[in-house]
Amino acid sequence: MTRSLNGKVAVITGAGSGMGRSMALRLAEDDAKIAIWDINGEGAEETAKMVRDAGGTALAITADCSDKDQIKAAADKTRSELGQVSILINNAGIAPFTPFLEIDEELFDRVMSINIKGPFLVTQELVPDMIAAKWGRIINITSSSVQSGSALQCHYTSSKGALLGLTKCLAMALGEHGITANMIPPGSIDTPMLRGAEIMQRPGAIEAYGKALPVGRIGTGEDIAAAAAFLA
């Protein structure tokens, strides 16, 4: 344990698998109580069990983190069972690969609803807890594609660019309350979502991605979790 979070309550959206799960396990090591919000309730419960089996405290909540009513219900349950929320990691998202001219309005709206509207609503719901405590940490998972671009992800990259802008505004708006807002922009991370992408189904595609990176390997959830623990 590098730094104790002293039982502070952390909400991590999309923590039923992938990077979210890695961050849940890592923050639990630092003595945070973890609320896992995920549309995949089975995955959320599996993550919670992993945290508990390691000696931590975790609550699994099935919720669509882009739906205001479900966000409110998840927040109420979290406060009731774990306490006021001090740490928020907006991790839930989707990352489809789609040629630009094939992105229809329905898909565009879905990406924006989950990747930027969701974090906006979740943050708005939980920030009053942090203001009351005069301490809070907001960590938004953006994407390195905001800087590099991504030919098949115009919708996804646009949504993550908006999340970058929101993060900077939150830092300015909430700093006086003892709340920090930061972002982690992952590159290629080995997650079920990445492996499930059609573009990654070619044999050796994951390994080729890794070899093209400066460190010579694809990233892991643990890499991102270490950054999240530092920021928390």
Side-chain angles (χ1 to χ4, degrees):
M1 188 179 297
T2 56
R3 190 182 191 94
S4 176
L5 291 171
N6 297 317
K8 288 183 170 64
V9 177
V11 166
I12 307 176
T13 68
S17 63
M19 291 186 294
R21 174 173 288 174
S22 296
M23 289 186 283
L25 292 168
R26 180 64 180 80
L27 265 63
E29 286 182 16
D30 284 354
D31 197 32
K33 293 186 286 188
I34 311 297
I36 298 138
W37 296 8
D38 202 301
I39 199 167
N40 176 4
E42 191 174 310
E45 187 51 56
E46 187 177 339
T47 300
K49 184 178 184 302
M50 293 170 72
V51 171
R52 294 188 203 110
D53 287 349
T57 300
L59 170 68
I61 299 176
T62 304
D64 178 346
C65 295
S66 66
D67 182 286
K68 190 169 185 176
D69 290 340
Q70 292 190 44
I71 290 166
K72 178 67 166 61
D76 288 345
K77 185 172 183 180
T78 299
R79 293 178 182 120
S80 173
E81 298 198 23
L82 297 182
Q84 297 294 100
V85 177
S86 298
I87 300 163
L88 166 62
I89 302 180
N90 283 306
N91 169 72
I94 58 172
F97 289 83
T98 318
F100 175 64
L101 292 178
E102 296 178 17
I103 300 172
D104 59 23
E105 188 173 2
E106 182 181 3
L107 177 58
F108 183 86
D109 287 347
R110 180 166 178 258
V111 171
M112 290 295 169
S113 178
I114 295 169
N115 289 5
I116 180 61
K117 179 184 174 184
F120 180 91
L121 293 175
V122 172
T123 305
Q124 205 167 51
E125 171 63 35
L126 297 180
V127 154
D129 291 17
M130 302 179 192
I131 291 175
K134 296 182 172 56
W135 193 96
R137 299 288 181 262
I138 300 166
I139 301 166
N140 292 327
I141 306 302
T142 57
S143 171
S144 62
S145 65
V146 173
Q147 283 73 40
S148 67
S150 179
L152 295 176
Q153 292 184 298
C154 291
H155 41 6
Y156 168 77
T157 301
S158 297
S159 71
K160 292 298 187 175
L163 187 56
L164 180 154
L166 175 62
T167 307
K168 291 185 175 183
C169 292
L170 289 172
M172 296 179 71
L174 301 174
E176 65 181 293
H177 300 289
I179 301 168
T180 63
N182 288 282
M183 68 196 93
I184 301 173
S188 299
I189 306 297
D190 193 352
T191 64
M193 185 164 66
L194 181 69
R195 287 186 176 270
E198 185 178 349
I199 196 173
M200 290 298 167
Q201 300 309 305
R202 302 188 311 273
I206 296 287
E207 292 73 18
Y209 246 61
K211 288 178 182 176
L213 298 174
V215 294
R217 66 167 177 83
I218 199 163
T220 67
E222 289 74 22
D223 294 329
I224 304 305
F230 170 77
L231 294 171

